């Protein structure tokens, strides 16, 4: 937009004071308040965006863990510079971007988007729960060995991307926004910054005509800013061209008019897909699952950090571009009996078998030991595993099916101490059984799905990460049938639809795939999508129909 200049009269010879009104256009969306109480985009006073590299702090992840770029806060004119710095720090690694933002400056968002697309990075709507030091906390100093990398876990729930933020989401190679996250747009606004400038101008007469010689600003006064939602045809074209270049439907610009700057028009899952603003409706955590680093080869954003004691003189296993190594088992599976700490359930409380960690060749022996210990008790198996040894997983599955046990995916929260604590049982009231309760989230990926498949009844939650990949990526020491035929025979034995194998093969060329709830049910891998806690509810031990895992305290 050009400057509108208005002058006042002046003397031809002596010079004069000229008052000018200059209008400058600063484009960017107003920070908006959402129509929905649970998702209010931030006010302009909210902190500007922080952009940092995060590394998964999930148990059992080390030494080869996924890393990502966490971008949270208001987009400002300084934000592109922060992205430039972090991308330089990331080097050639293709770290996904996990973003939560109320919006900010559209031009900055598009500048960031161009950087992301040039790197072919994935973008997901979500937020990072930091473990230890939090980005932006000046009182917290990262340990020297972490460099400039923070630790944390990714969640979609309550993640949001509003106002200018969708222009960053649009840039992702893969673009993820789960149903429990929030994406919205509204009218952009142009702010006309008004200033009254006072000049001293000197003239001279040349051939009878006045000619300006020197113009000096001698006064500057800020006037009241003027805002408008009319961005102008050229700028709207700029927005449409940007979206088109990202493979996103430019109709998103028209949808911005659905809500004034004081509100937000929420884009539902179907609209996000129709606009191609998202390529998947998956949880942001899908991009940073530790199981991605167990694949062969590991995902691009897996970074190996060997423990100091092993860093020197340790033979390298498989190399991946000379920088990343095949992960070693840092968190082998524990298999223990847990008793519910539910209120007032004693003396008859539900118990379960908690199997957590990476499956190793020693894991079947642990299962046999626990199954022998519980005798005829039909305790459900609660799984939380990123996979591991293929042969061991099949062996464990056959042990579970022979006992007719139920299997669910969840994680166990131990009270006082857990199996990783030396001497824990000696401190517990029950000398041979841990105490705890279930958390509804858990992971069952790669070879873990063969253990899940063995349950007489199989449960998983809506947000259960269950990654699969090329069946030929599994390594077996057993002689005889090829891997694919062994898996097909196992699925037949467990009553699992062969469409699961077909899905594994079809996705092989596209990398890891997270099974959706419909995939879990359609293939028969689970009987129902339900909260796993239903298997161990203490109140069921009070009913006339006792569940099979209700155990008296003296047992």
């Amino acid at each position: 937009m050009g400057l509108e200049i208005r002058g006042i009269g002046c003397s031809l010879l002596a010079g004069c004071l000229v008052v000018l009104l200059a209008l400058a256009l600063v484009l960017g969306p107003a920070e908006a308040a959402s129509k929905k109480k649970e998702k209010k985009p931030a006010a302009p006073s909210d902190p500007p965006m922080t952009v940092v590299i995060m590394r998964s702090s999930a148990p059992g992840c080390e030494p080869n863990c996924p890393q990502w770029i966490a971008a949270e806060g208001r987009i400002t004119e300084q934000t592109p510079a922060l992205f430039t710095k972090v991308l330089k720090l990331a080097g050639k690694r293709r770290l996904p971007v996990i973003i939560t933002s109320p919006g900010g400056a559209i031009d900055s968002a598009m500048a960031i988007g161009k950087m992301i697309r040039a790197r072919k990075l994935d973008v997901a709507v979500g937020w990072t729960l930091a473990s230890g030091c939090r980005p932006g906390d000046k009182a917290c100093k990262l340990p020297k060995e972490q460099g400039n990398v923070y630790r944390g876990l990714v969640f979609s729930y309550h993640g949001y991307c509003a106002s200018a933020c969708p222009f960053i989401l649009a840039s992702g190679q893969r673009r993820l926004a789960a149903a429990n996250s929030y994406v919205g747009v509204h009218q952009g606004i142009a702010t006309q910054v008004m200033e009254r400038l006072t000049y001293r101008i000197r003239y001279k007469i040349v051939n009878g005509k006045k000619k300006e010689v020197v113009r000096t600003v001698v006064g500057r006064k800020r006037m009241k800013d003027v805002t408008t939602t009319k961005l102008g045809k050229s700028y709207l074209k700029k927005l449409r061209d940007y979206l088109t270049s990202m493979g996103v439907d430019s109709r998103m610009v028209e949808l911005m008019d659905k809500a004034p700057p004081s509100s937000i028009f929420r884009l539902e899952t179907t609209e996000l897909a129709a606009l191609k603003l998202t390529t998947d409706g998956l949880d942001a955590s899908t991009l940073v699952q530790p199981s991605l680093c167990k694949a062969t080869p590991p995902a691009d954003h897996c970074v190996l950090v060997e423990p100091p004691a092993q860093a020197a003189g340790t033979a390298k296993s498989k190399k991946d571009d000379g920088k990343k190594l095949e992960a070693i088992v840092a968190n082998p599976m524990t298999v223990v009996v847990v008793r519910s700490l539910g209120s007032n359930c004693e003396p008859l409380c539900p118990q379960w078998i908690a199997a957590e960690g990476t499956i190793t060749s020693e894991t079947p022996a642990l299962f046999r030991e626990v199954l022998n210990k519980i005798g005829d008790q039909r305790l459900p198996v609660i799984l939380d595993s990123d996979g591991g040894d293929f042969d061991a997983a099949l062996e464990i599955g056959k042990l579970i099916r022979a006992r007719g046990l139920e299997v669910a995916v969840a994680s166990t929260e131990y009270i006082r101490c857990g199996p990783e604590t030396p001497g824990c049982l000696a401190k517990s009231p029950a000398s041979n059984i841990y105490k705890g309760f279930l958390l509804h989230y858990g992971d069952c990926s790669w070879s873990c799905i063969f253990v899940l498949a063995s349950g007489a009844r199989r449960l998983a939650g809506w947000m259960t990460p269950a990654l699969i990949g090329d069946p030929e990526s599994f390594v077996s020491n057993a002689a005889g049938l090829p891997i694919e035929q062994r898996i097909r025979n196992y699925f037949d034995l467990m009553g699992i639809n062969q469409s699961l194998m077909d899905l594994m093969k079809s996705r092989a060329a596209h990398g890891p795939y997270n099974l959706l709830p419909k995939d879990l049910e359609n293939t028969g891998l689970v009987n129902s999508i339900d909260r796993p806690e239903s298997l161990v509810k203490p109140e069921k031990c009070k009913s006339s129909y006792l569940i099979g895992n209700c155990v008296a305290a003296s047992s």
Side-chain angles (χ1 to χ4, degrees):
M1 180 176 179
L3 296 179
E4 178 183 348
I5 302 175
R6 297 173 184 167
I8 59 175
C10 61
S11 166
L12 293 179
L13 298 176
C16 64
L17 296 179
V18 180
V19 180
L20 302 172
L21 289 178
L23 286 86
L25 185 64
V26 178
L27 283 168
E31 308 301 344
S34 169
K35 295 177 181 177
K36 296 185 178 295
K37 293 181 180 179
E38 73 275 14
K39 298 293 179 189
K40 289 185 178 180
S45 59
D46 276 351
M49 181 171 280
T50 57
V51 186
V52 298
I53 294 178
M54 304 290 303
R55 181 178 179 86
S56 176
S57 61
C61 165
E62 296 296 354
N64 200 16
C65 295
Q67 295 188 176
W68 63 92
I69 296 170
E72 299 182 9
R74 180 166 46 90
I75 304 164
T76 70
E77 293 178 358
Q78 289 73 42
T79 310
L82 298 179
F83 265 90
T84 299
K85 181 179 179 180
V86 166
L87 290 173
K88 184 177 180 180
L89 183 64
K92 294 182 179 180
R93 300 187 184 103
R94 294 178 58 234
L95 307 186
V97 177
I98 309 298
I99 190 168
T100 276
S101 173
I106 296 179
D107 282 332
S108 294
M110 291 192 291
I112 293 164
K114 291 175 182 176
M115 295 182 205
I116 290 172
R117 179 54 62 90
R119 292 288 195 104
K120 298 182 179 180
L121 307 182
D122 298 333
V123 179
V125 179
W127 59 282
T128 301
L129 175 65
S131 304
C133 280
R134 291 176 295 179
D137 185 354
K138 296 180 180 179
C140 186
K141 293 184 179 180
L142 284 173
K144 187 176 180 180
E145 61 271 18
Q146 288 186 209
N148 294 311
V149 179
Y150 293 81
R151 301 289 191 270
L153 298 171
V154 166
F155 298 90
S156 282
Y157 187 62
H158 286 320
Y160 55 93
C161 183
S163 191
C165 178
F167 287 91
I168 296 180
L169 176 60
S171 68
Q173 193 81 357
R174 289 179 67 194
R175 306 179 286 278
L176 277 62
N180 59 7
S181 61
Y182 187 103
V183 181
V185 293
H186 66 128
Q187 290 178 319
I189 67 169
T191 302
Q192 297 174 336
V193 181
M194 307 287 289
E195 283 189 326
R196 181 181 296 274
L197 304 181
T198 306
Y199 295 96
R200 176 177 290 111
I201 303 177
R202 294 187 179 279
Y203 302 98
K204 68 178 180 178
I205 303 300
V206 179
N207 297 326
K209 295 182 178 180
K210 182 177 67 173
K211 182 178 180 180
E212 184 176 319
V213 178
V214 178
R215 176 182 296 231
T216 306
V217 177
V218 296
R220 185 186 298 270
K221 182 179 180 181
R222 179 73 176 263
M223 309 294 286
K224 185 178 180 180
D225 294 345
V226 177
T227 60
T228 177
T229 57
K230 296 180 180 179
L231 301 184
K233 291 182 179 180
S234 61
Y235 196 77
L236 291 174
K237 181 179 183 301
K238 179 180 178 181
L239 300 183
R240 294 189 185 97
D241 288 347
Y242 170 85
L243 293 171
T244 301
S245 70
M246 297 296 171
V248 175
D249 196 324
S250 62
R251 288 185 300 113
M252 190 182 98
V253 175
E254 279 65 51
L255 293 178
M256 291 168 63
D257 284 331
K258 292 280 188 179
S262 61
S263 183
I264 280 286
F265 176 71
R266 181 172 186 174
L267 297 170
E268 301 297 341
T269 302
T270 53
E271 290 172 304
L272 292 171
L275 291 169
K276 298 181 181 178
L277 187 56
T278 58
T279 58
D280 295 289
L282 302 178
D283 193 280
S285 62
T286 304
L287 296 180
V288 296
Q289 286 299 319
S291 51
L292 294 171
C293 301
K294 311 294 183 185
T296 305
D300 290 342
H301 55 291
C302 293
V303 182
L304 179 74
V305 178
E306 289 187 294
Q310 298 177 356
T314 301
K316 293 184 179 181
S317 52
K318 290 187 178 180
K319 291 185 178 181
D320 177 32
D321 72 14
K323 294 181 180 178
K324 294 174 288 184
L325 307 179
E326 188 177 75
I328 63 172
V329 177
N331 183 40
M333 180 170 277
T334 57
V335 185
V336 298
V337 176
V338 183
R339 185 175 181 84
S340 175
L341 198 69
S343 59
N344 303 319
C345 78
E346 296 295 356
L348 198 63
C349 292
Q351 295 183 178
W352 63 91
I353 298 170
E356 299 187 333
T358 302
I359 301 167
T360 70
S361 58
E362 288 77 31
T363 310
L366 298 178
F367 263 92
R368 287 192 185 89
E369 181 182 344
V370 168
L371 292 174
N372 290 335
K373 173 182 174 181
I374 65 175
D376 294 333
Q377 295 173 7
R378 297 184 63 231
L379 307 187
V381 177
I382 306 300
L383 279 175
D384 185 10
S385 173
D386 55 9
D389 190 292
F390 170 76
D391 295 321
L394 267 57
E395 187 177 352
I396 294 165
K398 292 174 183 177
L399 292 173
I400 292 172
R401 177 55 64 94
R403 288 291 193 107
L405 305 182
E406 297 173 311
V407 178
V409 182
S411 60
T412 298
E413 183 71 15
Y414 296 96
I415 303 301
R416 287 185 290 273
C417 60
E420 76 288 347
T421 308
C424 174
L425 287 180
K427 305 172 188 175
S428 301
S431 60
N432 295 312
I433 298 174
Y434 293 88
K435 288 277 193 174
F437 57 90
L438 285 192
L439 301 175
H440 68 272
Y441 58 83
D443 181 7
C444 187
S445 298
W446 308 109
S447 59
C448 175
I449 67 170
F450 303 121
V451 181
L452 174 60
S454 69
R457 182 182 172 219
R458 305 174 292 279
L459 277 72
W462 277 99
M463 302 309 295
T464 297
L467 279 91
I468 60 171
D470 184 357
E472 296 303 322
S473 65
F474 292 110
V475 178
S476 173
N477 295 320
L481 294 174
I483 291 287
E484 179 178 338
Q485 191 57 53
R486 288 188 65 195
I487 295 175
R488 288 192 182 277
N489 292 348
Y490 182 83
F491 283 165
D492 283 339
L493 178 66
M494 300 300 171
I496 305 299
N497 196 306
Q498 290 294 338
S499 62
L500 179 55
M501 169 58 82
D502 298 334
L503 187 58
M504 292 170 70
K505 292 184 67 177
S506 68
R507 297 296 302 190
H510 305 286
Y513 173 69
N514 190 68
L515 293 169
L516 301 175
K518 64 178 182 179
D519 298 323
L520 294 170
E521 290 189 302
N522 291 343
T523 61
L525 186 57
V526 301
N527 303 117
S528 62
I529 301 295
D530 195 4
R531 295 178 71 87
E533 298 96 306
S534 63
L535 293 179
V536 295
K537 283 185 176 180
E539 54 265 33
K540 287 193 174 183
C541 295
K542 305 291 184 183
S543 67
S544 57
Y545 175 73
L546 297 179
I547 58 175
N549 59 317
C550 291
V551 182
S554 58
S555 296

